[in-house]
Amino acid sequence: MRKKIGIITGSGPEAGVDLWQKILEENKLFLKDDFQGDLDAPNITILSVPELGYSMELEKNYNKVWKTLKKAIKDICIRVDYFVIACNTLNLYSNKIEQIYLKHKFISTYDVVKDYLVDNSLDKACIIGALPVIQMEEYSVFKPLTDTFNIEVPKDFNKVHQLIYDVKKYGGDSHKVINNFRLIVDKIESNNIFLACTELPLIKLKYKEKNLIDVTQLLAKKLVEKSF
């Protein structure tokens, strides 16, 4: 019997929808010709909590966000065998999740990014995300990567952070959003760029010169694998 999987979302809610869709895509790719329809889809629980949106200003709201996230984790873990958080910033709480004895059910963005770097023998890559993520300080889940890999981040943190707010407000189809994203990517030296914010893959930017790696897609693939 397949394992049940879960998504905690809310920062922002569209990110949870995007992850759900990608899980369904990865499920079909995994099963190939064995996929016959509804009965072969994964069992997914989605819990969307608007208060998790405070994570965009995590330094000011660290304890408030954890209180909200902790309750959401306990609620969803009653129903699922594995879960992810559809927000790279919130993955920072991995150690706290371990302290409430639910780490064995949690698949983090750090895990899938590190696995990608190792599996593809990449020494250097760029990570784009919200301000708490790309500052690579205490509020970034990806900070430990800098001990082993050459991790580049965009030079103008505030432009990236504002871009994420603009995606939330205007959507990924906005010409303004697409153009501002292109300007950021153009200035990055690395050929491999992790989109480590769940809003960034929603931007409809085609970029042949660089490899834009959707961390949400990596999470979806790992969740599907875990479900079997």
Side-chain angles (χ1 to χ4, degrees), residues 6-8 19 23 82-86 105-108 219 223:
I7 300 169
I8 294 176
L19 177 54
I23 290 171
Y82 296 101
F83 76 95
V84 296
I85 303 169
K105 292 191 172 189
F106 179 53
I107 302 169
S108 76
L219 274 182
L223 265 179

Side-chain angles (χ1 to χ4, degrees), residues 123-169:
D123 295 322
K124 181 179 180 178
C126 179
I127 292 178
I128 307 181
L131 194 60
V133 169
I134 58 177
Q135 284 178 321
M136 288 296 164
E137 295 177 354
E138 61 177 314
Y139 293 106
S140 176
V141 66
F142 300 112
K143 186 178 186 299
L145 292 175
T146 61
D147 296 333
T148 309
F149 304 96
N150 182 359
I151 301 297
E152 180 185 0
V153 294
K155 293 180 174 60
D156 194 328
F157 293 171
N158 291 323
K159 282 187 178 179
V160 178
H161 201 64
Q162 184 58 50
L163 175 69
I164 294 166
Y165 272 121
D166 288 344
V167 176
K168 291 175 182 289
K169 184 174 182 179

Side-chain angles (χ1 to χ4, degrees), residues 45-167:
T45 296
I46 300 176
L47 179 56
S48 186
V49 185
E51 289 78 12
L52 291 177
Y54 284 113
S55 65
M56 284 295 288
E57 308 297 337
L58 190 62
E59 189 172 352
K60 294 190 297 186
N61 299 301
Y62 182 84
N63 292 326
K64 177 192 293 187
V65 170
W66 170 240
K67 182 178 179 180
T68 302
L69 181 60
K70 182 179 179 181
K71 184 179 186 307
I73 291 169
K74 289 185 174 181
D75 288 345
I76 204 169
C77 280
I78 295 170
R79 295 182 52 86
V80 305
D81 299 291
Y82 296 101
F83 76 95
V84 296
I85 303 169
C87 171
N88 286 266
T89 301
L90 288 172
N91 277 257
L92 171 69
Y93 293 100
S94 180
N95 290 336
K96 286 188 173 293
I97 296 171
E98 184 173 9
Q99 291 170 14
I100 59 174
Y101 306 107
L102 292 171
K103 184 73 177 291
H104 64 289
K105 292 191 172 189
F106 179 53
I107 302 169
S108 76
T109 52
Y110 172 83
D111 294 332
V112 295
V113 168
K114 183 179 180 182
D115 287 348
Y116 188 98
L117 289 166
V118 172
D119 293 345
N120 292 277
S121 302
L122 299 180
D123 295 322
K124 181 179 180 178
C126 179
I127 292 178
I128 307 181
L131 194 60
V133 169
I134 58 177
Q135 284 178 321
M136 288 296 164
E137 295 177 354
E138 61 177 314
Y139 293 106
S140 176
V141 66
F142 300 112
K143 186 178 186 299
L145 292 175
T146 61
D147 296 333
T148 309
F149 304 96
N150 182 359
I151 301 297
E152 180 185 0
V153 294
K155 293 180 174 60
D156 194 328
F157 293 171
N158 291 323
K159 282 187 178 179
V160 178
H161 201 64
Q162 184 58 50
L163 175 69
I164 294 166
Y165 272 121
D166 288 344
V167 176

Side-chain angles (χ1 to χ4, degrees), residues 153-221:
V153 294
K155 293 180 174 60
D156 194 328
F157 293 171
N158 291 323
K159 282 187 178 179
V160 178
H161 201 64
Q162 184 58 50
L163 175 69
I164 294 166
Y165 272 121
D166 288 344
V167 176
K168 291 175 182 289
K169 184 174 182 179
Y170 303 112
D173 294 320
S174 162
H175 292 301
K176 174 186 175 182
V177 167
I178 294 170
N179 290 336
N180 287 343
F181 188 35
R182 188 185 301 277
L183 291 174
I184 291 168
V185 173
D186 283 343
K187 295 179 181 179
I188 292 171
E189 296 179 4
S190 303
N191 290 324
N192 295 284
I193 302 172
F194 289 99
L195 305 183
C197 175
T198 44
E199 269 69 41
L200 296 177
L202 304 179
I203 302 174
K204 307 302 182 184
L205 173 65
K206 303 293 183 183
Y207 209 107
K208 295 180 180 179
E209 293 80 6
K210 296 181 187 292
N211 180 26
L212 301 182
I213 306 159
D214 182 353
V215 175
T216 302
Q217 196 82 44
L218 299 181
L219 274 182
K221 184 177 181 181

